[in-house]
């Protein structure tokens, strides 16, 4: 079995306590349900992935280097999907505010079928 370094992790992961006031990972180790315990990610590297709230795009290359190809592919897809939804969102907001300004609804707006057909083609 792999060795568990309890002195290194006891102060970091000491919360929920179980029998005999031991941390959860120690209890699982005593029951032979846990062989190795280590933190999954570096908090310093995770801070590199933070981005401003106004920026919807993820740093795909950094994600690929840290998490691997499969995870980076998901974020690349989400970047692509977000880019393709920006124009319809802007046009939809223009239609929405125009309807509010002119007192129109979906039922009596002459341009709504054009917008709907554009969304189908998009």
């Amino acid at each position: 079995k792999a060795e568990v370094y309890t002195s290194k992790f006891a102060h970091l992961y000491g919360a929920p306590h179980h029998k005999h006031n031991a941390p959860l990972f120690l209890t699982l180790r005593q029951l032979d349900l846990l062989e190795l315990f280590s933190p999954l990610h570096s908090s310093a590297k995770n801070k590199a992935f933070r981005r401003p709230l106004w920026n919807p795009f993820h740093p795909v290359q950094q994600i690929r280097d840290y998490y691997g190809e499969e995870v980076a592919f998901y974020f690349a897809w989400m970047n692509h999907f977000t880019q393709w939804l920006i124009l319809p969102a802007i046009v939809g907001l223009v239609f929405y505010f125009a309807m509010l300004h002119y007192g129109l609804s979906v039922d009596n707006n002459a341009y709504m079928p054009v917008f709907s057909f554009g969304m189908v083609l998009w």
Side-chain angles (χ1 to χ4, degrees), residues 6-99:
T6 56
S7 62
K8 183 175 181 181
F9 298 116
H11 69 283
L12 295 174
Y13 298 95
H17 293 286
H18 296 283
K19 74 176 192 178
H20 307 297
N21 202 25
L24 175 62
F25 77 93
L26 288 177
T27 304
L28 293 173
R29 174 73 173 118
Q30 291 169 351
L31 295 172
D32 285 330
L33 296 173
L34 179 68
E35 290 183 9
L36 181 63
F37 179 81
S38 64
L40 293 177
H41 302 288
S42 165
S43 61
K45 287 196 177 193
N46 285 343
K47 287 180 184 177
F49 299 130
R50 291 186 183 158
R51 61 198 188 329
L53 189 59
W54 54 266
N55 184 4
F57 303 109
H58 303 280
V60 177
Q61 187 63 37
Q62 291 174 332
I63 292 171
R64 183 185 146 271
D65 293 341
Y66 190 70
Y67 291 106
E69 299 281 336
E70 293 83 10
V71 175
F73 185 75
Y74 168 77
F75 284 99
W77 163 250
M78 291 309 294
N79 283 350
H80 175 77
F81 189 62
T82 302
Q83 282 178 328
W84 276 90
L85 288 178
I86 290 173
L87 182 63
I90 292 170
V91 173
L93 283 173
V94 168
F95 268 78
Y96 175 74
F97 287 120
M99 286 179 10

